[in-house]
Amino acid sequence: MDIFSSPGRLCLERAVTATGPHILQNPNQINSPFETLPKPPFPLPAAAAAAASSSSSSPPASAASAAMDSGGASDPSRQVRVRFVTKLPAPLRAPPTSIAVPADLTRMGLSEIVNSLLLAASPDHQAQPFDFLVDGELVRLPLQEFLLAKGISVERVLELEYVKAVAPRKQEDPCPHDDWVSAVDGSNPSFILTGCYDGLARIWRDASECTHILEGHSDGITSASFINKGETEDRLHVVTASKDRSLRLFKFDTSVSIPKQIGAYKILRGHTSSVQIEGSEEDGDTVSVKKRRTNSDSSGPEESQFEGSATSTFLGHTQCVSAVTWPERQTIYSASWDHSVRLWDVQTGKETWNMVSGKALNCLDCGGESSSLIAAGGSDPVLRVWDPRKPGTLAPIFQFSSHKSWISACKWHPSSWFHLVSSSFDGKVMLWDLRTAWPLASVESHKDKVLCADWWKGDSVISGGADSKLCIASGIEIIVEAVMLEVTAR
């Protein structure tokens, strides 16, 4: 079963056959996915070597003095004693001794220290950026300011857990389109699906080669999605939605290696305005259909076509339903330009929860722990996250506001409870972690508004925009196992 939306209502159609603070701009954030580590704030090899060779728990005097004297900050009141710990494998584990560091260090300076410690222990170590957590929260301020804000005494030895920084390491060659790229789906590890304002959807193998062009829509495509049907590796199903008020279902052979034009095998009509969709987890293959006449308005070599009819209509929204997600068999969430997010019971068609955000909404996704959190964005620069399980309040539990314009898309990482991606009309794609209000990285691959974004293969972010390009930022390292164990242990 798939869900489709229309102004003010949702339609179910059987159509398938086989609290963070308000953010200021962070001068220490990685603004480019390919930014290298800065030069160290002070020379560290002597301090690193002393710390790496010591096995005692007390700080080596040479390490502290080398670090502080070189930085010109020998005043003890401006020092913080730290110990670096990690869950990363052995080659990336720094000595567990404590050393004194300047209190005004940011995460980039801390990262340089860890790299120097690792280099002293292993000359083959390749420097890389790290992030740092204190009591489960990512450090995004100079150490002294962070400790002050959290009420942590500077007298104690601060345990800093370091993890690999979550930021793209590489920008793949963009895939050009003939018009705005308005929809993208990265749920298949081998292919990327895009929808375009030229009315065509495209299948891209390995984010580089266009193998199929899906034809038939008479207006721009607004949404496109792979369908979970338990298909074999050599055959996939796709659904697209359009401003032409219809949905079209396609199936194709993945072995094709040259662009092949294909038409829809089913067409779903009935909406009175443009249609938005999201993928469904339903695997049923019942379809309510009627045979179409052969003079289809869809171009390309189509198979025998059927038109599907809606089996349910959910009424309640007063303006356009802009996004829908179906996280569980009996649960549907919808977002609307009427400023609301609503929860629906699939069986009864009744609304069971209604949250008003104060802004017209453009996008919606479910994720986080047990897929129970709701992220949404719209007609302001703020990405908000709600927890419907919390009784008595409709206030968001997180707010991320480093974008400069409307938010066009938001997606939870498919395996991590903490990580999200968002895109905006400001031309940026941002990566987020619930453990800090600062963005992890800002990807600036597009030259115009970004209209859609998604994760791909767990380590890449794909996005499309008004510059008519599909862009791929790859090499994002998210250690999912460590994240899950940390949350489960709490």
Side-chain angles (χ1 to χ4, degrees), residues 401-424:
S401 54
S402 285
H403 279 298
K404 297 298 183 183
S405 187
W406 290 15
I407 294 175
S408 56
C410 60
K411 284 286 184 177
W412 291 91
H413 189 276
S415 303
S416 171
W417 290 348
F418 291 124
H419 296 94
L420 305 94
V421 64
S422 64
S423 62
S424 170

Side-chain angles (χ1 to χ4, degrees), residues 22 77 84 123 229 232 257 275 283 303 336 444 469 472:
H22 187 82
S77 66
F84 296 104
K229 295 303 301 175
T232 60
S257 59
V275 187
D283 288 330
E303 300 179 19
S336 170
E444 302 181 24
K469 293 179 180 178
I472 305 100

Side-chain angles (χ1 to χ4, degrees), residues 92 288 474:
L92 294 176
S288 173
S474 59

Side-chain angles (χ1 to χ4, degrees), residues 337-420:
W337 287 1
D338 66 10
H339 302 187
S340 72
V341 175
R342 300 175 190 239
L343 172 63
W344 306 87
D345 183 284
V346 174
Q347 186 172 3
T348 65
K350 301 296 184 182
E351 173 190 307
T352 60
W353 182 76
N354 184 346
M355 186 284 307
V356 178
S357 71
K359 297 292 181 180
L361 296 174
N362 297 325
C363 56
L364 172 79
D365 197 30
C366 294
E369 185 177 357
S370 303
S371 295
S372 57
L373 303 183
I374 308 300
S379 60
D380 70 358
V382 183
L383 176 65
R384 297 175 174 86
V385 178
W386 290 269
D387 188 347
R389 301 169 301 177
K390 289 185 175 295
T393 178
L394 295 178
I397 59 173
F398 298 100
Q399 297 190 73
F400 305 107
S401 54
S402 285
H403 279 298
K404 297 298 183 183
S405 187
W406 290 15
I407 294 175
S408 56
C410 60
K411 284 286 184 177
W412 291 91
H413 189 276
S415 303
S416 171
W417 290 348
F418 291 124
H419 296 94
L420 305 94

Side-chain angles (χ1 to χ4, degrees), residues 267 269 290-297 305-307:
I267 300 175
R269 303 183 187 276
K290 59 183 178 181
K291 186 77 174 184
R292 286 199 72 222
R293 295 194 303 269
T294 56
N295 57 342
S296 167
D297 64 348
Q305 291 181 343
F306 292 87
E307 283 196 356

Side-chain angles (χ1 to χ4, degrees), residues 37-41 44 107-117:
L37 283 171
K39 293 181 179 180
L44 289 169
R107 65 190 181 107
M108 302 303 280
L110 292 169
S111 190
E112 189 64 32
I113 293 178
V114 171
N115 276 296
S116 295
L117 292 170

Side-chain angles (χ1 to χ4, degrees), residues 123-134:
D124 296 329
H125 171 71
Q126 298 295 316
Q128 59 182 288
F130 294 101
D131 264 317
F132 299 85
L133 296 103
V134 174

